[in-house]
């Protein structure tokens, strides 16, 4: 028997447009000049862009100029050589074909595929020949193909994109979304390989039971081994996080399973609660001492529960996660695909983006249902950095069909996704869809008193998907949708389940200062828009269009309603309510980012302060919409598509710190909150200072406050009555006097006051900035070439200088801007 070989088929591909479906004569008639070099994994858009045949779809309004690409049929061909003896099994493995694809090898039709999320493995031994072989993939235009299916099964209601997308098992955001372009890409978006084998490992699963208190774990491992015959053995081995073998067992390959009892188990924790040790499970198929096949998984040992119990003194029940017996507030964000051309997202980029979430003190990301089941690098980064993953299945904002063919395709998709991802320690929850119950309710297809059969997609979310999860991953939670409310209630119910709180920005367009009014047991979506960084914005705007009201600026804001794009109008309302805004694009970038940052500060603080005590977990988590962007756009993202963090990222980082504080001005005083996300009780000294706008200090007081682990406490503090506007600054300090957290509350709105008279002094000492002022400064935002600061977008008060560290050597000059202060460039060395 020969050992398996897995050969990448990624080099040497070519792409050509096909007027009709490929046949031998059609291909022979294509001139060599019609074929372009192409990369796999890749897309037609990516190949055409690399060849200079289309302009950058992200620049200006080029999105419309490249629409034709998605309307054409594209053939991909590869010539590859076969040398030597063939293995008993020769297969071509297609990990992802987007979407309507037919494959041929040496003129023989192999299959037709219509689901980009279902890998294909096909036996090609009868078709391979010595020497040169030709593989051909033909991708039909996605929208036209989806419309053919829609013509059979009927139009359905949806939010975002063309209604035909509901019949296409393709990344739904490709059809256009309220933050993304319409780029109907096609192509082999994941690897293509030749797999030669006598025996292979088809499936490897490890289930664990963890005794947290005893630091013990029982592991059950199993593998399915096609081709296993008499005499072949399967060797299982477990390596600890340091790479030492801690368990091993060799069994017959045709009954490959083992059970281990592990002492001194190292537990995996979400970030902030402990470390993320990862064990490695290795399996080898042996013929004597020779390894015929090998596979491995990295796993973490932990328990995870979704806790839904009564909330003290309130209606409904909690919705919060508990890991290894420890309650945690799930503070994080929603994740969308990080590019419209998925092949451009490298493992390094995944690690960078997940690292930015971790650096913002996030412990959960929700993979949203209109994108893709992400690359392995994303989940590995989450495993390593302690980021829990709420994983949607790929359904979003629509009334999906439930005919037999569609259900069969969805079942194959779900089985592939669950098998691939179930071993990850980060995986916290499988979720059926995004907002499909909401749209069904809006159409009278679901909700209190509505017969269940009216919403036929329940067959997917309440039967098919939970069946797949129960069979293949019974240890991971399943939740039917986001948002979802158990029982006969609407998905907007704030007392049970999870909720999307869009009364701010969407719906009533409430002031962001009222986020406390739209809290829920778990707020899985909320957000506020802003422009991307000025540098990124200007890089995609023609020079003559670089002003706030330009057509291209509006083009790069996809937010809208059934009446059409209206994101620019909503932004204008929030700006007008809060700030005086200058006339330049730079002014508007700062102003929109200011409003977003303030909204996020208010939201995360108001949600997190309701975490309270055990038995009173009124809000169990908050996931902002959204962490990232797929192109340069005005959106709800905290990080723009260049990877540049916005001011809101810093606001979120502070609000989700292990220890965080919040202060609110109210009649006769201030309300103070201290949030402790750690595993130990803490005692802090709170310092509350009150300033007039001219810099006079009106109050300076200190008080001691104890805060139990994993809880929040609040207190009201009386203050003298003041008729003029004031600023309150609350700081928390440890026993050694070190500052642990800080927050400020202002008499709002900011547009009523002149703050530009403050003197701001900035000096540098090595890699540290010293900042001071003589009167209050709001929203000080520092930028510079490569500047990476430990804190930014700060409120600066008179008194001792504020120290901010730089992660790299400081540049010679930097820029700063603040409310009512024009952009200023200064030399610091």
């Amino acid at each position: 028997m020969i050992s398996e070989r897995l050969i990448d088929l990624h080099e040497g591909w070519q792409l050509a447009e096909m007027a009709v479906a490929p046949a031998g004569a059609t291909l022979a008639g294509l001139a060599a000049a019609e074929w372009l070099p192409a990369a796999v994994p890749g897309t037609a858009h990516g190949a055409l862009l690399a060849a200079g045949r289309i302009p950058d779809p992200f620049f200006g309004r080029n999105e419309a100029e490249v629409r034709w690409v998605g309307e054409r049929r594209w053939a991909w061909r590869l010539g590859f050589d076969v040398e030597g003896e063939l293995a008993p099994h020769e297969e071509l493995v297609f990990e992802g074909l987007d979407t309507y694809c037919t494959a041929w090898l040496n003129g023989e039709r192999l299959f037709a595929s219509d689901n980009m999320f279902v890998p294909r493995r096909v036996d090609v031994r009868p078709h391979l020949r010595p020497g040169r072989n030709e593989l051909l993939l033909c991708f039909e235009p996605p929208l036209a193909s989806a419309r053919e299916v829609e013509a059979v099964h009927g139009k359905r209601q949806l939010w975002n994109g063309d209604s035909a997308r509901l019949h296409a098992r393709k990344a739904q955001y490709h059809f256009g979304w309220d933050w993304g372009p319409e780029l109907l890409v096609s192509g082999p978006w994941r690897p293509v390989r030749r797999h030669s084998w006598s025996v292979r490992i088809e499936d490897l699963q490890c289930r664990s039971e963890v005794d947290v208190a005893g630091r013990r774990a029982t592991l059950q491992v199993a593998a399915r081994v096609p081709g296993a015959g008499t005499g072949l053995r399967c060797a299982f081995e477990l390596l600890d996080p340091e790479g030492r073998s801690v368990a091993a067992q060799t069994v017959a390959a045709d009954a490959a399973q083992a059970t281990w009892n592990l002492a001194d188990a190292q537990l995996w924790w979400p970030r902030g609660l402990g470390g993320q040790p990862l064990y490695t499970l290795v399996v080898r198929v042996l013929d004597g001492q020779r390894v015929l096949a090998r596979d491995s998984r990295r796993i973490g040992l932990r328990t995870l529960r979704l806790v839904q119990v009564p909330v003290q003194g309130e209606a409904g029940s909690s919705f919060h996660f508990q890991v290894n017996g420890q309650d945690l507030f799930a503070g994080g964000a929603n994740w969308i695909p990080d590019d419209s051309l998925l092949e451009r997202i490298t493992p390094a980029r995944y690690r960078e983006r997940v690292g930015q979430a971790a650096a913002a003190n996030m412990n959960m990301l929700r993979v949203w249902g209109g994108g893709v089941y992400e690359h392995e690098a994303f989940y590995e980064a989450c495993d390593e950095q302690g980021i829990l993953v709420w994983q949607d299945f790929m359904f979003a904002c629509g009334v999906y069909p439930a005919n037999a063919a569609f259900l069969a395709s969805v079942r194959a998709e779900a089985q592939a996704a669950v098998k691939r991802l179930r071993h990850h320690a980060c995986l916290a929850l499988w979720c059926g869809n995004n907002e499909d119950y909401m749209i069904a309710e809006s159409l009278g297809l679901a909700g209190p008193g509505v017969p269940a059969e009216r919403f036929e997609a329940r067959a997917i979310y309440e039967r098919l998907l939970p069946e797949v999860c129960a069979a293949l991953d019974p240890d991971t939670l399943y939740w039917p949708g986001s948002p979802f409310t158990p029982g006969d209630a609407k998905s907007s119910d704030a007392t049970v389940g999870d909720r999307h709180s869009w009364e701010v920005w969407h719906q009533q367009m409430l002031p962001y200062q009222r986020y406390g009014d739209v809290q829920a047991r778990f707020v899985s979506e909320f957000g506020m828009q802003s422009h991307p960084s000025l540098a990124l914005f200007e890089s995609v705007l023609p020079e003559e269009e670089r002003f706030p009201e330009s057509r291209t600026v509006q083009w790069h804001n996809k937010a809208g309603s059934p009446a059409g794009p209206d994101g620019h109008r909503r932004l204008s309302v929030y700006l007008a309510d809060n700030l005086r805004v200058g006339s330049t694009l730079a002014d508007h970038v700062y102003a929109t980012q200011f409003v977003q940052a303030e909204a996020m500060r208010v939201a995360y603080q108001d949600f997190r302060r309701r975490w309270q005590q055990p038995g009173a977990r009124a809000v169990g988590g908050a996931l902002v919409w959204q962490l990232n962007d797929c192109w340069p756009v005005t959106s709800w993202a905290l990080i723009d598509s260049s990877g540049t963090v916005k001011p809101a990222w810093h606001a979120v980082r502070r609000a989700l710190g292990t220890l965080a504080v919040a202060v609110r001005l109210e009649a006769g005083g201030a309300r103070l909150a201290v949030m402790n996300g750690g595993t130990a009780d803490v005692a802090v000294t709170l310092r509350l200072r009150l300033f007039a706008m001219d810099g006079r200090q009106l109050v300076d007081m200190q008080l001691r406050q104890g805060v139990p682990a994993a809880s929040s406490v609040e207190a009201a503090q009386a203050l003298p009555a003041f008729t003029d506007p004031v600023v309150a600054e609350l700081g928390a300090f440890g026993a050694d006097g070190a500052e642990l957290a800080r927050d400020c509350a202002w008499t709002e709105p900011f547009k009523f006051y002149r703050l530009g008279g403050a003197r701001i002094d900035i000096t540098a000492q090595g890699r540290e900035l010293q900042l001071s002022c003589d009167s209050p400064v709001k929203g000080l935002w520092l930028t510079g070439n490569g500047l990476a600061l430990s804190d930014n977008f700060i409120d600066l008060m008179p008194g001792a200088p504020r120290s901010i560290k730089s992660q790299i050597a400081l540049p010679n000059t930097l820029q700063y801007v603040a409310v009512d202060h024009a952009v200023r460039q200064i030399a610091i060395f």
Side-chain angles (χ1 to χ4, degrees):
M1 302 184 79
I2 67 171
S3 299
E4 69 175 346
R5 289 187 303 156
L6 197 59
I7 304 166
D8 289 341
L9 299 178
H10 293 165
E11 304 295 329
W13 285 86
Q14 294 180 308
L15 172 87
E17 181 185 343
M18 306 294 295
V20 296
T26 304
L27 289 177
L30 283 176
E34 296 187 52
W35 291 94
L36 300 174
V40 172
T43 57
H45 283 77
L48 294 167
L49 185 61
R53 299 293 182 91
I54 61 172
D56 182 354
F58 293 171
F59 185 83
R61 301 193 297 279
N62 286 345
E63 173 193 347
E65 299 301 316
V66 303
R67 188 166 288 142
W68 64 272
V69 178
E71 297 170 351
R72 308 295 172 86
R73 176 185 293 108
W74 297 99
W76 296 64
R77 73 176 183 184
L78 173 70
F80 65 97
D81 293 325
V82 171
E83 300 175 352
E85 181 184 357
L86 296 180
H89 299 276
E90 294 282 353
E91 296 176 334
L92 290 180
V93 181
F94 305 87
E95 293 191 9
L97 299 169
D98 183 8
T99 291
Y100 298 94
C101 176
T102 305
W104 289 263
L105 179 63
N106 296 328
E108 298 289 334
R109 185 177 183 274
L110 299 178
F111 62 83
S113 174
D114 62 359
N115 188 323
M116 76 176 281
F117 306 121
V118 177
R120 299 298 297 253
R121 176 181 286 271
V122 58
D123 177 18
V124 293
R125 199 178 192 283
H127 309 304
L128 285 177
R129 57 196 183 201
R132 201 67 170 169
N133 290 259
E134 184 172 76
L135 175 60
L136 178 69
L137 304 175
C138 180
F139 292 87
E140 299 296 325
L143 184 56
S145 299
R147 283 177 173 169
E148 290 177 4
V149 182
E150 183 182 55
V152 174
H153 295 287
K155 282 183 176 288
R156 292 166 172 271
Q157 295 294 317
L158 78 167
W159 299 326
N160 294 298
D162 191 283
S163 61
R165 73 169 173 82
L166 300 175
H167 298 272
R169 295 314 298 148
K170 173 176 176 59
Q172 302 287 271
Y173 83 110
H174 286 163
F175 293 83
W177 219 264
D178 59 5
W179 39 259
E182 179 191 323
L183 283 178
L184 285 164
V185 298
S186 65
W189 72 290
R190 280 191 167 151
V192 177
R193 297 185 170 103
R194 174 189 166 198
H195 195 184
S196 305
W197 55 278
S198 300
V199 61
R200 69 182 177 89
I201 301 166
E202 183 178 76
D203 197 17
L204 175 60
Q205 186 175 16
C206 178
R207 298 181 63 185
S208 62
E209 293 183 9
V210 179
D211 174 0
V212 173
R215 297 292 295 269
R216 293 186 296 271
T218 300
L219 280 66
Q220 295 178 320
V221 296
R224 186 170 179 273
V225 187
T230 304
L232 296 185
R233 309 287 286 169
C234 193
F236 292 108
E237 185 177 21
L238 186 70
L239 308 178
D240 73 7
E242 289 72 42
R244 298 171 301 218
S245 180
V246 292
Q249 189 171 351
T250 300
V251 299
D254 57 0
Q257 54 186 358
T259 299
W260 294 318
N261 293 309
L262 191 65
D264 298 320
Q266 299 182 51
L267 301 182
W268 185 95
W269 292 90
R271 66 170 313 283
L273 297 181
Q276 292 79 45
L278 295 169
Y279 290 78
T280 303
L281 171 65
V282 181
V283 58
R284 300 176 181 87
V285 179
L286 303 176
D287 182 8
Q289 296 301 310
R290 191 154 58 97
V291 178
L292 300 181
R294 181 186 186 279
D295 200 358
S296 65
R297 299 283 188 275
R298 287 203 303 170
I299 62 172
L301 303 178
R302 50 87 173 150
T303 65
L304 189 146
R305 295 178 57 223
L306 175 61
V307 182
Q308 299 180 84
V309 296
V311 177
Q312 182 180 329
E314 300 188 24
S317 57
S318 67
F319 187 107
H320 71 272
F321 293 91
Q322 188 182 83
V323 179
N324 299 330
Q326 173 70 49
D327 287 351
L328 85 157
F329 179 88
N334 287 265
W335 170 276
I336 67 169
D338 207 51
D339 205 314
S340 292
L341 303 184
L342 290 161
E343 70 269 23
R344 299 198 297 203
I345 315 174
T346 63
R349 188 159 143 193
Y350 277 115
R351 287 192 294 272
E352 176 191 1
R353 209 65 76 240
V354 172
Q356 288 173 310
N361 293 315
M362 295 183 180
N363 58 22
M364 179 174 280
L365 292 173
R366 173 181 170 234
V367 178
W368 168 76
V372 299
Y373 306 97
E374 285 292 349
H375 190 281
E376 197 69 15
F378 169 82
Y379 302 97
E380 289 175 351
C382 291
D383 284 343
E384 293 162 4
Q385 303 204 45
I387 306 288
L388 293 170
V389 172
W390 171 310
Q391 177 68 54
D392 282 5
F393 286 99
M394 294 300 118
F395 303 90
C397 300
V399 181
Y400 285 87
N403 58 74
F406 191 82
L407 292 179
S409 183
V410 168
R411 185 176 293 276
E413 168 190 325
Q415 289 171 338
V418 172
K419 285 182 179 180
R420 180 170 72 90
L421 301 179
R422 64 189 173 189
H423 68 280
H424 284 286
C426 64
L427 184 63
L429 178 143
W430 292 102
C431 177
N433 68 81
N434 172 79
E435 295 188 350
D436 290 358
Y437 284 93
M438 284 178 64
I439 191 170
E441 289 166 1
S442 74
L443 298 169
L445 302 177
V450 179
E453 60 270 18
R454 294 206 62 192
F455 185 28
E456 61 180 310
R458 290 183 192 271
I460 301 172
Y461 313 136
E462 299 177 26
R463 291 195 290 277
L464 189 156
L465 294 177
E467 285 172 5
V468 170
C469 290
L472 300 178
D473 189 18
D475 303 321
T476 301
L477 304 163
Y478 176 81
W479 189 248
S482 182
F484 180 76
T485 300
D488 193 24
K490 296 193 71 171
S491 60
S492 58
D493 192 315
T495 66
V496 288
D498 74 309
R499 187 179 194 269
H500 293 184
S501 291
W502 280 111
E503 289 84 355
V504 178
W505 179 268
H506 288 303
Q507 299 172 18
Q508 302 98 304
M509 289 184 64
L510 291 180
Y512 66 73
Q513 292 85 351
R514 292 183 57 187
Y515 262 120
D517 295 341
V518 296
Q519 59 188 264
R521 296 299 178 231
F522 193 104
V523 187
S524 43
E525 281 192 22
F526 64 98
M528 175 63 65
Q529 270 204 347
S530 76
H531 291 324
S533 63
L534 181 62
L536 176 61
F537 222 174
E538 289 185 336
S539 74
V540 297
L541 296 174
E543 191 169 349
E544 66 277 9
E545 290 283 288
R546 294 175 186 174
F547 59 93
E549 300 81 14
S550 77
R551 184 174 303 177
T552 309
V553 167
Q554 186 171 320
W555 183 275
H556 284 255
N557 186 342
K558 299 297 187 179
S561 64
D566 66 357
H568 59 291
R569 296 177 63 242
R570 292 174 186 266
L571 266 181
S572 296
V573 170
Y574 283 101
L575 293 181
D577 282 350
N578 292 284
L579 296 172
R580 298 189 312 280
V581 184
S583 61
T584 69
L585 183 62
D587 292 333
H588 277 246
V589 167
Y590 173 77
T592 61
Q593 292 190 348
F594 175 96
V595 168
Q596 182 191 40
E598 283 296 293
M600 294 304 96
R601 178 183 69 86
V602 171
Y604 276 96
Q605 288 177 350
D606 279 357
F607 297 151
R608 190 179 175 193
R609 67 182 177 81
R610 293 274 288 144
W611 177 236
Q612 298 174 345
Q613 313 293 329
R617 305 300 197 191
V619 177
L623 307 179
V624 67
W625 184 268
Q626 65 217 59
L627 180 73
N628 57 325
D629 272 329
C630 67
W631 76 311
V633 64
T634 298
S635 80
W636 300 268
L638 305 184
I639 306 168
D640 70 25
S641 64
S642 71
T644 302
V645 300
K646 300 179 183 180
W649 182 89
H650 285 280
V652 172
R653 177 185 55 78
R654 290 189 290 264
L656 288 178
T658 301
L659 189 97
V661 296
V663 58
R664 299 284 188 271
L665 290 169
E666 54 187 21
R671 179 159 293 278
L672 318 178
V674 187
M675 291 79 80
N676 177 12
T679 57
D681 299 352
V682 297
V684 297
T685 298
L686 299 178
R687 185 185 185 190
L688 179 63
R689 297 195 295 166
L690 200 67
F691 293 91
M693 295 296 184
D694 62 9
R696 288 176 293 121
Q697 183 169 290
L698 307 174
V699 170
D700 187 353
M701 62 175 62
Q702 294 187 11
L703 58 151
R704 295 283 291 169
Q705 180 67 63
V707 192
S711 67
S712 65
V713 297
E714 291 188 81
Q717 178 61 51
L719 293 173
F722 296 98
T723 57
D724 293 330
V726 294
V727 185
E729 181 192 61
L730 178 65
F733 301 86
D736 59 357
E739 181 181 302
L740 303 175
R742 186 190 303 231
D743 187 44
C744 292
W746 297 63
T747 305
E748 299 188 40
F750 303 104
K751 64 182 180 180
F752 288 163
Y753 311 117
R754 293 286 184 184
L755 301 176
R759 188 190 74 249
I760 302 173
D761 294 321
I762 303 176
T763 59
Q765 296 177 1
R767 291 191 177 185
E768 198 166 293
L769 292 176
Q770 300 292 324
L771 297 84
S772 60
C773 64
D774 61 354
S775 60
V777 175
K778 179 64 188 176
L780 180 63
W781 179 236
L782 303 159
T783 57
N785 184 27
L787 195 63
L789 299 177
S790 61
D791 201 3
N792 208 337
F793 190 72
I794 62 172
D795 293 356
L796 193 60
M797 298 297 128
R802 182 90 167 265
S803 177
I804 297 179
K805 291 181 173 59
S806 175
Q807 299 167 15
I808 59 174
L810 287 165
N812 291 327
T813 62
L814 58 78
Q815 290 183 338
Y816 72 79
V817 64
V819 170
D820 212 24
H821 289 258
V823 175
R824 184 180 174 192
Q825 182 166 305
I826 61 170
I828 58 174
F829 288 108

